[in-house]
Structures are given as structure tokens and as C-alpha cells.
Amino acid sequence: MSTSTKLLKLLFISTPVGHLGSGLGGGVELSLYNVAQEMIRRGHQLQIVAPADSTGNNLPLVQIPGNLQIIAQSQSRTAPINMPENSVLANMWDYARQVQNNYDLIVNFAYDWLPFYLTPFFDCPIAHLVSMGSLSNALDAIIKQIASQFPGTIGFHTQTQAETFALKQQCPILSNGIDLSLYNFCTQPKHQLAWVGRIAPEKGLEDAVAASQITNIPLKIMGKIQDDLYWQKICQDYPNAPWEYLGFLSTNQMQQVVRECKASLMTPHWIEAFGNVAIESLACGVPVICYRRGGPVEIIQDSKTGFLVEPDSVTGLVNAIARLDEINRYTCRHQAETEFSLSALGDRFEKWFYSVTLDKILL
Ligand code: UDP
């Protein structure tokens, strides 16, 4: 059997900030499910390791107990690395250490210092998928060190994200993909807009609510409330805006609402690594209006599949909403089909996994 057709034994280690299915992990949850599903479809063997209470979505899953990790976004850039007692992150990696000889490759989905630090101590190669831009000096330093010690093992989602670590040249860029059959196209939207994401300050939901108030177009808000005080403040500041909060929805429920919207608004106040919600919206034929910042700039085709507007400008959002008739919704769906299908995702990740395991499987 040639190296390129050897089927791999893969161990995926999930994020330690929440159980899979909770929404607390943000886009990394969907990315993990989708890469896993596509690898299994291609015949690779795979096991997911995730915090207790995780939902496996019919994928093979080992649940590990322990306390969750604090999210990196809530800490300062210079904060030291923090681990709770009985850390689920440490427990998952202890499990990985014990079973590593049964696998060709471990894939790390955690945005945390520990898995990078542990890399040289493992016999099994480790591929790290970095799911956010640079936020912590300590994490930046260890990522840089591993990128140089183990070339090609660190993957980013977009060039813009890789640039925040000054690692654009050295590292593979792996954009996400989705199961397009789960997202239905709708030609005739209702008079409403969508906002989908974790409800946390870096996502800038208040700007979308302000745009909905100015245009008087109802805004359907979907996502996990990660920061309750932030959410309460938005409710207080915009009591009369025509928004409606629908909760954290399943992919199917979410796409049923999104596809009937005139557009999705994305209002990141940080450098979004990728922006799964952008490709999910496009898959429904729904254009995306987003600040010209971070990963979505590499996804949205300005004036074709959405609009890229001046960062933090609510006026920019409002002006783009007025131009939505210029967008052909079929072009949006077509972009998702050509660039962000599960098979396109699988080609990108499979190539990366083979490149990281090459030395091992040639032995
Ligand atoms: N999401 C969901 N249900 C909701 C709202 C959001 O499943 O009601 C998911 C969405 O599918 C996406 C993720 O939450 O995969 C948000 O990921 P994104 O990459 O846009 O941002 P992140 O949270 O990683 O910063």
C-alpha cells in the first residue's frame, strides 16, 4: 500500500472549555465534528476524546471527567497559564499519553498551552489546529517554539489569523467546511436579519442590535450566552430595538431561521480566526455583512457574497443592508459549494495529516 493511501488511526482531543455540544467551545466544536465525520467517511479510524457530558453526534467518543478550562478570551495577554485542580485538559492529555501507541496521529483542538508544551514528550506525532488568533504571550511563545521544532504540525484557519502569530509563511492554512446537505437554500427571505455566535464581548453583538434599531429590521439572535453581564447590558441599552433571542440552536434549527433572513451580520471586535457562521450563512444562500477584519475577509467576496465594511462602523453595516438587493443568493450558495464542502475540508485536512505522519508511517 502506498503512503498516500494508508488509512490513518487518529486520536482527536477536544477543547477543554466546555463539553462538545455545549456551544462554549464556539466554532471549534463544529470543526471537530466535521473533520471527524469526513475522516471516518474516508475510511480512517478515529476516536474523539472530550470532556464528560459531551455529545458524540454518532461519532466514537471517550468522555473524560474533570474541571473545565477558563476561556483565553477572558484573560489578559500577560496572564500566567492557569489550570484548575483536577483539570479536564490535563486528564484528556494523560489519557492520550496512555493510548498514544495505538494511533498514527494525535490532533489537538485545544487553544491551550499544555498540549503544545507536552508535544516533545510524546512519541506519537501531534498536529495542533489553532482555533483563535493570538491572545496570550505565553501561548504565542510555545506555539512559535513548536512551529520551529516540529515544522508543519501547526495549522491555522486563515492567513490573517496566522499573521497574528507572525507564522504566516511556515504553517498550513486549513479553512473549514460543512455538510452542505444540512443547510437549505431559500430564495425569498423574510424582512429580517440574522446574528449567530457566542454572546461575548469580542463578538460585538451590540453593533448588530444598533443596526437593527436604525433600519428597523428585526434581528434574530442565535447563540450561547457566554457572558451574562454583557448580554444584560445589551438588553438594557436597546430595550426598543426589534431583536429576538432564540437561544442556542441545533444546526438544523439554526439554518431554518438563517435561510429566511435577508443577511447575516457579523460584528467581530477581535480578529476572528475563521468564522464558521459565515460559511453556514452562505450555504443557506444568505449574504454576510461583516467588518473588514480577521478571517471573514478571506471568506466573504465583497459585493458578491456579502459586504465587508469599515470595522466597528454601525453606519457601515446600515449602508450595506441598504445594498442587499445587489447580491444574488445563488452566488452565495455556489461559493459554499465550491470552497466549503465537507469533501474540500477533507482534502485539506487529510493532506495535512499525511504530511505530519509521513516519517512515522514510512518507518
Ligand atoms: N452555533 C450553533 N447554534 C447557535 C449559534 C451558533 O450551533 O445557535 C455554532 C455555529 O454553528 C458555529 C459556532 O457556533 O459553528 C460559532 O463559531 P464561529 O467560528 O462563528 O465563532 P467562534 O465561537 O469560534 O468564535
Side-chain angles (χ1 to χ4, degrees):
M1 188 181 276
S2 79
T3 356
S4 61
T5 54
K6 179 189 185 290
L7 294 172
L8 298 172
K9 291 188 222 113
L10 301 164
L11 187 67
F12 282 15
I13 318 264
S14 188
T15 168
V17 301
H19 61 261
L20 272 176
S22 68
L24 290 169
V28 77
E29 296 184 26
L30 187 68
S31 309
L32 186 152
Y33 283 136
N34 284 342
V35 180
Q37 182 189 328
E38 182 61 14
M39 289 304 127
I40 290 174
R41 195 190 66 77
R42 288 171 185 233
H44 302 290
Q45 271 182 47
L46 186 140
Q47 179 75 63
I48 298 169
V49 180
D53 299 327
S54 285
T55 315
N57 275 359
N58 297 323
L59 298 163
L61 177 75
V62 176
Q63 310 220 15
I64 304 285
N67 292 314
L68 299 174
Q69 199 70 9
I70 304 169
I71 54 168
Q73 304 93 294
S74 68
Q75 293 168 72
S76 77
R77 175 163 277 287
T78 52
I81 298 305
N82 260 308
M83 304 265 301
E85 63 168 336
N86 186 26
S87 152
V88 74
L89 175 65
N91 295 348
M92 288 194 292
W93 282 86
D94 190 41
Y95 174 84
R97 181 184 58 78
Q98 291 173 47
V99 299
Q100 61 176 319
N101 292 337
N102 304 332
Y103 294 92
D104 297 313
L105 179 69
I106 296 173
V107 186
N108 167 38
F109 288 81
Y111 185 93
D112 280 278
W113 183 86
L114 185 71
F116 293 94
Y117 176 76
L118 290 176
T119 303
F121 300 99
F122 271 67
D123 295 323
C124 183
I126 302 176
H128 302 269
L129 182 65
V130 181
S131 57
M132 291 191 274
S134 157
L135 294 171
S136 143
N137 291 348
L139 188 54
D140 282 16
I142 196 89
I143 287 179
K144 255 197 195 117
Q145 186 188 317
I146 297 304
S148 119
Q149 207 177 335
F150 300 91
T153 62
I154 294 188
F156 295 105
H157 285 306
T158 54
Q159 306 266 0
T160 322
Q161 177 203 8
E163 254 169 43
T164 68
F165 296 92
L167 286 172
K168 195 171 127 185
Q169 308 305 333
Q170 295 104 299
C171 296
I173 303 294
L174 305 130
S175 67
N176 277 331
I178 49 178
D179 182 347
L180 292 159
S181 70
L182 303 178
Y183 302 82
N184 295 321
F185 180 77
C186 164
T187 37
Q188 290 299 325
K190 294 183 182 159
H191 190 62
Q192 63 189 36
L193 299 163
W195 189 95
V196 184
R198 281 179 299 107
I199 299 181
E202 66 271 15
K203 295 291 190 171
L205 170 59
E206 64 275 27
D207 296 0
V209 174
S212 125
Q213 178 159 282
I214 294 167
T215 56
N216 202 26
I217 304 179
L219 181 70
K220 306 288 173 192
I221 300 169
M222 289 152 270
K224 183 88 184 168
I225 299 177
Q226 196 165 41
D227 185 329
D228 208 37
L229 287 177
Y230 169 71
W231 169 242
Q232 295 305 334
K233 180 151 178 16
I234 294 176
C235 298
Q236 278 161 20
D237 290 350
Y238 297 93
N240 301 318
W243 57 263
E244 184 187 5
Y245 176 58
L246 304 176
F248 177 70
L249 305 184
S250 67
T251 297
N252 183 39
Q253 293 166 324
M254 193 240 294
Q255 64 85 30
Q256 285 181 39
V257 180
V258 171
R259 72 186 188 216
E260 294 190 329
C261 292
K262 287 163 79 77
S264 290
L265 303 184
M266 282 183 79
T267 44
H269 286 180
W270 69 340
I271 297 184
E272 191 83 51
F274 184 74
N276 273 346
V277 300
I279 62 173
E280 295 181 271
S281 179
L282 294 176
C284 299
V286 176
V288 184
I289 298 174
C290 182
Y291 294 145
R292 190 183 293 281
R293 170 187 281 151
V297 174
E298 293 173 43
I299 300 172
I300 301 154
Q301 297 170 0
D302 192 24
S303 305
K304 257 183 98 180
T305 59
F307 294 101
L308 293 167
V309 309
E310 190 194 331
D312 308 326
S313 165
V314 172
T315 311
L317 300 174
V318 170
N319 292 342
I321 292 168
R323 293 180 55 198
L324 278 170
D325 286 348
E326 295 170 28
I327 306 283
N328 180 337
R329 292 168 76 92
Y330 288 101
T331 312
C332 298
R333 171 77 191 186
H334 184 251
Q335 190 194 354
E337 283 171 0
T338 47
E339 295 177 35
F340 305 114
S341 65
L342 269 193
S343 91
L345 169 87
D347 289 349
R348 293 188 274 268
F349 277 79
E350 195 175 52
K351 188 170 160 214
W352 181 39
F353 294 160
Y354 278 129
S355 76
V356 178
T357 54
L358 202 57
D359 291 344
K360 184 176 161 95
I361 59 186
L362 284 177
L363 283 177

